[in-house]
Amino acid sequence: MRPVPYKTLLQVLLLLIAFHSICYGIGLILFPPAFFALFGFNLPQTFFADQGGLFHILISSVYILAAIDLPRAGKLIAVTCLVKFSAFLFLMAWYIFGISLWIILISAILDLLMGLLVLWLFTRYRRSLRQLSV
């Protein structure tokens, strides 16, 4: 039976999350306020959307660096999980107590799933390393 390639799966996942964050960030920066109105947001100015876009682009570097050097990426994986779980809590709080838009709920669920999948794959990857060294 072939061992599951947890390292490769985790690297691919991290790169996909980075790609998602870069695309999301570029969209936040470039899309006009009329685009956000399609999702129920009223943006009289785009400063905070631009700021959020820049954050998404910058945080993608954490995901890329973790994917590149996975054996030494424990702290970057921790930051990745912290970011994804914090985003989930932030979005759920907004969905429950602020604006109950479907896009906020979907975004929250996707951030939670990304964080859980990164955590699960990383623990499996680390466990597979320990089994190899035994």
Side-chain angles (χ1 to χ4, degrees):
M1 184 171 174
R2 278 183 64 201
V4 177
Y6 290 114
K7 179 180 181 182
T8 303
L9 292 172
L10 181 54
Q11 287 174 313
V12 169
L13 176 63
L14 288 166
L15 292 174
L16 287 172
I17 292 171
F19 179 73
H20 166 267
S21 290
I22 291 167
C23 292
Y24 202 88
I26 290 170
L28 284 172
I29 293 169
L30 295 181
F31 289 142
F35 177 80
F36 296 104
L38 296 173
F39 297 96
F41 298 102
N42 179 22
L43 295 180
Q45 50 75 28
T46 61
F47 171 79
F48 288 112
D50 294 344
Q51 183 185 36
L54 180 61
F55 168 79
H56 276 83
I57 293 168
L58 292 174
I59 200 66
S60 69
S61 65
V62 170
Y63 314 143
I64 293 167
L65 290 172
I68 290 171
D69 191 9
L70 203 51
R72 297 188 301 176
K75 290 179 182 171
L76 294 174
I77 296 295
V79 170
T80 298
C81 291
L82 176 67
V83 166
K84 291 299 172 189
F85 296 145
S86 297
F88 166 74
L89 293 173
F90 173 80
L91 291 165
M92 283 307 297
W94 262 100
Y95 182 76
I96 293 167
F97 302 112
I99 307 169
S100 297
L101 297 173
W102 65 269
I103 192 76
I104 295 174
L105 179 61
I106 296 298
S107 296
I109 292 168
L110 289 175
D111 274 321
L112 177 63
L113 292 175
M114 284 186 266
L116 288 172
L117 195 51
V118 166
L119 183 60
W120 183 76
L121 283 174
F122 186 68
T123 57
R124 297 293 178 192
Y125 162 68
R126 295 294 286 258
R127 186 175 297 154
S128 70
L129 290 179
R130 284 193 300 273
Q131 290 173 349
L132 288 176
S133 65
V134 173

